[in-house]
Amino acid sequence: MRLFGRDGAVDGTSRVTDGLARGSLGTIFGDQVQQLTKRKNTASDVEGGMPSGVGYPPGAEAVTAQLSHHLESDVKDNWVRKWGLAVGVWTVLCIRSLCATASVLEPMRYQLIFLYYQPLLLMVIMCWLWGIVLKVWSTMNITPSPLVVFDLPDVTAHLTPSQMFQTSTILSLLLLTNISTFTYASAAQLDGLASMMPGLAYLCPVLMLFCPLNILFKRARYFFLGTMYRCMFPFQRILFADFFLADICTSLAKAISDSERALCSMWNGPVLEAMRVSGGICGSASWHIPFWLAWPYVCRLLQCLHQYRTTGDKVALANALKYSTAFPVIVLSAMKYHIPTEEWYMYYKPLWLMFSLVNSAYSFYWDVALDWDFAFLSNDKSPSINGRNRGLRAELLYAPDGKPGVLLYWWVIISNFLLRIAWTYKLSSHLRHHQLTSLLVSVCEVFRRFQWIFLRVERQYLAYVKTHKLSITYGQL
């Protein structure tokens, strides 16, 4: 993504670029925070996205955030022409090997596939879905691009849809190759090789992410690392990209917790005997599991509290309360392994169900009324919200021409409600032994977040356009 200022030069060039060139993560994080702190009066400080005594960066009204279709097409065509056939053939071979060997594995070895690879699968799916989001925005050919709301200090950190799909393909091939090798080695009793595979599955993405060489979209990787750093330690100015990524992490809370359990099992070993250990430091009763389930919500809670402290916005306190409702669900679920079974069913399970309902209802209300700014759950009685937009809002980015687009909004609202109820499942450590159900629910939650992204960015984008009195133009779909 290239963002150009009034004079045609790249807008937003900062010391982050120099930090990237130097290759020091500590310098990068420091430079990013210092650069972002200098950006006074950014609308990202208001999480709702609507101006509330703050404005956007100077010169933003001149920004045109449209990707170069010609350059993107060239990259995509070259990549597909060179590697498409090889990628397809290798994928088919891996899937055939996986299906053939997984069916003959003993039950304990089969369950190891879920233990070690389910967290990585969910993260790879999220990467593919983010690529689809970018592709939809690119195909709609909207000017300015919705990506302007992220206000990156180094605009070259934006990945194009083709680049995001390339990244997702690499991650998918690494994961698929690793899983098929693990199942083949397990079925062939090659325990040494099988024991190596889960560790490599987690090591390869980390090496890719931290690689200091100027390959694999280095600026995008390092900006992602900087944003993750600010999410984990939210004690500076909170930008839209920061809480946007933190919200996505809450949908990956189970994947994060399961990753810790997988790494714990590998570290304490033996790798191929992890499912035979029902207790211990890596077992279901471990305090690590609820801790890492809660960690994304802790980060998001701290962001809200910091936002309130710096801006005085009371909406941030209400948002903090929303994230706090996840903690009773997590804690009560974990208590099942530390109290008698009769006591759990008599006292604590009803409490768990009650707090699950409160969390789901509060989160759904916040999605619709605050994150998406829809009228039917808010106090907006504006006369402009009528006709086809009734119950939604006056401006709908994805329905500029009529009813079919409006129906998509209602689909997202209804499906969000249903998936919010199922979403409580992933916060419940006492249900994780239902492996297939747990995987399905986790995938559904990732899909719910995928839908949420479109409408959350839409609301921020419309506020951005309104603040700078910009007009929205659509290209040929």
Side-chain angles (χ1 to χ4, degrees):
M1 170 57 67
R2 303 295 303 273
L3 303 184
F4 297 92
R6 191 187 302 274
D7 57 357
V10 176
D11 181 31
T13 303
S14 68
R15 283 180 293 177
V16 175
T17 307
D18 298 332
L20 291 169
R22 288 193 293 272
S24 168
L25 279 180
T27 303
I28 292 167
F29 294 161
D31 286 350
Q32 283 188 342
V33 171
Q34 188 174 8
Q35 172 69 15
L36 294 170
T37 302
K38 287 184 176 181
R39 293 187 168 217
K40 304 293 185 180
N41 299 326
T42 62
S44 301
D45 292 316
V46 178
E47 185 174 324
M50 300 302 291
S52 176
V54 293
Y56 286 84
E61 69 281 355
V63 173
T64 62
Q66 184 177 10
L67 290 171
S68 171
H69 178 73
H70 174 70
L71 293 177
E72 181 193 351
S73 298
D74 284 345
V75 172
K76 179 180 178 181
D77 291 341
N78 291 335
W79 180 75
V80 172
R81 190 183 306 115
K82 290 179 179 179
W83 304 107
L85 179 60
V87 168
V89 171
W90 184 253
T91 300
V92 171
L93 291 176
C94 288
I95 292 176
R96 289 188 62 182
S97 174
L98 178 61
C99 294
T101 55
S103 61
V104 298
L105 288 179
E106 60 178 272
M108 288 295 181
R109 293 289 178 93
Y110 180 77
Q111 292 176 28
L112 289 175
I113 299 176
F114 290 91
L115 171 65
Y116 291 129
Y117 296 106
Q118 178 176 305
L120 297 175
L121 176 62
L122 293 172
M123 295 177 187
V124 170
I125 290 174
M126 191 72 249
C127 290
W128 278 106
L129 293 178
W130 176 243
I132 293 174
V133 171
L134 296 177
K135 186 61 178 178
V136 169
W137 289 339
S138 175
T139 303
M140 292 180 69
N141 202 11
I142 305 173
T143 304
S145 167
L147 288 173
V148 296
V149 302
F150 292 100
D151 189 31
L152 301 191
D154 178 14
V155 295
T156 60
H158 281 298
L159 289 181
T160 66
S162 178
Q163 291 170 340
M164 192 65 227
F165 286 140
Q166 288 180 45
T167 302
S168 302
T169 300
I170 293 172
L171 293 174
S172 300
L173 289 177
L174 288 173
L175 181 61
L176 187 58
T177 301
N178 196 290
I179 297 177
S180 59
T181 304
F182 174 81
T183 56
Y184 172 80
S186 297
Q189 302 300 315
L190 301 174
D191 290 354
L193 178 59
S195 298
M196 293 172 53
M197 288 298 102
L200 289 176
Y202 285 83
L203 181 61
C204 288
V206 173
L207 293 178
M208 287 176 56
L209 194 58
F210 285 89
C211 178
L213 302 179
N214 191 23
I215 57 176
L216 298 173
F217 319 116
K218 179 180 178 181
R219 288 193 173 119
R221 290 189 285 110
Y222 278 19
F223 182 83
F224 176 79
L225 287 172
T227 306
M228 283 299 300
Y229 175 84
R230 295 193 302 274
C231 288
M232 294 178 66
F233 304 100
F235 306 113
Q236 62 283 317
R237 185 183 296 272
I238 307 299
L239 302 175
F240 181 77
D242 300 341
F243 70 76
F244 179 82
L245 180 58
D247 271 330
I248 291 177
C249 287
T250 61
S251 290
L252 294 172
K254 187 178 184 303
I256 294 172
S257 177
D258 288 347
S259 295
E260 185 279 331
R261 189 182 188 189
L263 293 171
C264 177
S265 298
M266 285 184 271
W267 179 263
N268 290 277
V271 173
L272 301 182
E273 301 296 325
M275 297 308 298
R276 300 184 191 276
V277 181
S278 58
I281 191 173
C282 304
S284 298
S286 171
W287 63 268
H288 295 171
I289 293 175
F291 175 84
W292 288 106
L293 273 174
W295 180 250
Y297 298 90
V298 171
C299 295
R300 197 64 187 88
L301 173 65
L302 292 176
Q303 285 182 338
C304 294
L305 295 177
H306 180 76
Q307 182 183 348
Y308 173 74
R309 186 176 68 85
T310 55
T311 67
D313 185 6
K314 293 184 178 180
V315 174
L317 284 181
N319 203 12
L321 179 61
K322 181 192 75 172
Y323 291 103
S324 299
T325 61
F327 300 139
V329 180
I330 296 172
V331 172
L332 288 171
S333 176
M335 286 181 64
K336 180 181 179 181
Y337 299 102
H338 303 279
I339 60 176
T341 303
E342 297 79 6
E343 189 174 344
W344 157 256
Y345 282 104
M346 185 173 296
Y347 300 110
Y348 293 100
K349 186 175 182 179
L351 284 175
W352 170 74
L353 291 172
M354 181 189 72
F355 280 110
S356 297
L357 179 61
V358 170
N359 176 262
S360 297
Y362 199 161
S363 300
F364 173 74
Y365 170 79
W366 195 275
D367 285 343
V368 174
L370 280 300
D371 281 350
W372 301 340
D373 193 31
F374 289 154
F376 80 97
L377 284 182
S378 69
N379 294 322
D380 190 353
K381 305 301 182 182
S382 172
S384 62
I385 306 178
N386 52 35
R388 68 184 183 90
N389 290 14
R390 185 178 301 278
L392 300 175
R393 70 170 101 82
E395 297 177 279
L396 301 176
L397 184 65
Y398 306 113
D401 298 321
K403 188 174 181 179
V406 175
L407 295 179
L408 288 177
Y409 282 87
W410 286 106
W411 156 257
V412 172
I413 293 172
I414 295 172
S415 62
N416 185 75
F417 173 75
L418 297 176
L419 294 176
R420 274 294 186 186
I421 298 175
W423 170 76
T424 303
Y425 195 101
K426 75 180 180 63
L427 298 178
S428 306
S429 56
H430 73 282
L431 298 175
R432 64 174 59 243
H433 59 281
H434 302 292
Q435 293 173 330
L436 287 174
T437 304
S438 179
L439 175 60
L440 177 60
V441 171
S442 297
V443 171
C444 288
E445 166 60 15
V446 170
F447 180 75
R448 186 199 67 79
R449 182 62 65 179
F450 162 70
Q451 296 185 133
W452 176 92
I453 287 173
F454 283 103
L455 302 189
R456 182 63 188 89
V457 172
E458 176 193 28
R459 193 216 170 176
Q460 189 83 5
Y461 175 77
L462 293 175
Y464 183 98
V465 170
K466 181 179 179 180
T467 299
H468 299 290
K469 299 181 173 61
L470 300 176
S471 58
I472 302 174
T473 60
Y474 294 80
Q476 184 69 32
L477 293 180

